[in-house]
């Protein structure tokens, strides 16, 4: 228990939480109005992981079952190769194995695509939030509400808000 507590993952989680709190403090200090709007973006990485995580688990489980079935076919074919040759069942055995491998390949592709969509969804909200800040911040710089330094500082601290959220959403 002590070894787990002192492990790197707990330390990383603690570091990310401190980073989040510090970033949130400085963002509120620079502009509480934008920060309140940006807080609406925070749940989306977690919701994305929950949504796609369940589907990924189901697909992963089914893939493992398919792999087990294919490997049992291969093992059965190899262990009974002399009987297969005697009864001229080589073509059927070969076709069964090829169909199993093709099915596994398609299922792996499905799981990869789901993972890619999940990554896009997790990274989309921080990207949209950053674009929102840059556009609104540029406007505020033009009208004189902010300086360019304030915009750059806010943009930098925004990473302290979203990188811990993304890390926690994908690692917990």
């Amino acid at each position: 228990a002590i070894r787990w507590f002192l492990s790197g993952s707990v330390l990383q989680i603690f570091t990310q939480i401190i980073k989040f709190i510090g970033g949130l403090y400085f963002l509120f200090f620079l502009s509480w109005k934008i920060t309140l709007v940006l807080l609406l973006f925070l749940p989306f990485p977690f919701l994305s992981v929950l949504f796609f995580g369940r589907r990924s688990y189901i697909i992963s489980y089914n893939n493992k079952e398919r792999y087990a079935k294919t490997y049992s076919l291969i093992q059965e074919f190899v262990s009974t190769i002399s009987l297969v040759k005697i009864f001229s069942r080589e073509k059927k055995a070969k076709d069964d194995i090829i169909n199993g491998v093709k099915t596994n390949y398609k299922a792996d592709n499905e799981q990869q695509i789901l993972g890619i969509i999940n990554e896009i969804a997790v990274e989309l909200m921080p990207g949209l939030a950053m674009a929102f800040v840059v556009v609104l911040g540029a406007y505020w710089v033009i009208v004189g509400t902010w300086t360019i330094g304030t915009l750059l500082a806010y943009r930098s601290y925004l990473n302290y808000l979203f990188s811990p959220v993304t890390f926690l959403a994908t690692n917990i």
Side-chain angles (χ1 to χ4, degrees):
I2 293 174
R3 183 175 290 177
W4 177 84
F5 183 75
L6 297 176
S7 71
S9 60
V10 172
L11 185 60
Q12 282 181 331
I13 291 170
F14 181 72
T15 304
Q16 296 297 327
I17 291 171
I18 296 296
K19 205 170 157 182
F20 175 80
I21 292 169
L24 191 60
Y25 170 78
F26 284 114
L27 289 175
F28 268 112
F29 177 75
L30 291 172
S31 175
W32 63 270
K33 295 174 188 174
I34 294 180
T35 306
L36 284 177
V37 173
L38 292 177
L39 289 177
L40 298 174
F41 288 93
L42 289 180
F44 287 104
F46 289 105
L47 295 174
S48 172
V49 168
L50 285 174
F51 179 78
F52 290 108
R54 289 184 189 133
R55 281 149 185 78
S56 181
Y57 175 79
I58 292 167
I59 290 172
S60 176
Y61 179 80
N62 290 337
N63 284 353
K64 289 177 184 177
E65 290 294 321
R66 286 185 195 105
Y67 272 108
K69 192 175 187 180
T70 301
Y71 290 136
S72 70
L73 281 172
I74 292 171
Q75 183 179 4
E76 182 181 327
F77 175 72
V78 170
S79 65
T80 60
I81 199 156
S82 58
L83 289 174
V84 169
K85 284 183 178 182
I86 290 173
F87 292 110
S88 300
R89 307 246 338 160
E90 294 165 331
K91 180 165 176 32
K92 181 179 176 350
K94 180 187 79 164
D95 290 343
D96 288 346
I97 291 171
I98 289 174
N99 287 337
V101 169
K102 284 181 181 179
T103 303
N104 291 343
Y105 180 73
K106 287 178 186 176
D108 281 343
N109 285 342
E110 183 181 354
Q111 189 170 10
Q112 290 294 325
I113 290 169
L114 188 66
I116 290 168
I117 293 171
N118 182 33
E119 285 295 319
I120 290 169
V122 166
E123 295 295 330
L124 181 66
M125 284 303 147
L128 290 175
M130 188 68 72
F132 171 74
V133 166
V134 168
V135 169
L136 185 63
Y139 172 74
W140 282 359
V141 167
I142 291 170
V143 297
T145 306
W146 271 6
T147 65
I148 196 81
T150 306
L151 175 60
L152 293 175
Y154 196 90
R155 191 186 157 294
S156 295
Y157 287 124
L158 193 59
N159 288 330
Y160 284 99
L161 186 68
F162 279 105
S163 67
V165 169
T166 303
F167 173 82
L168 293 172
T170 55
N171 291 310
I172 291 183

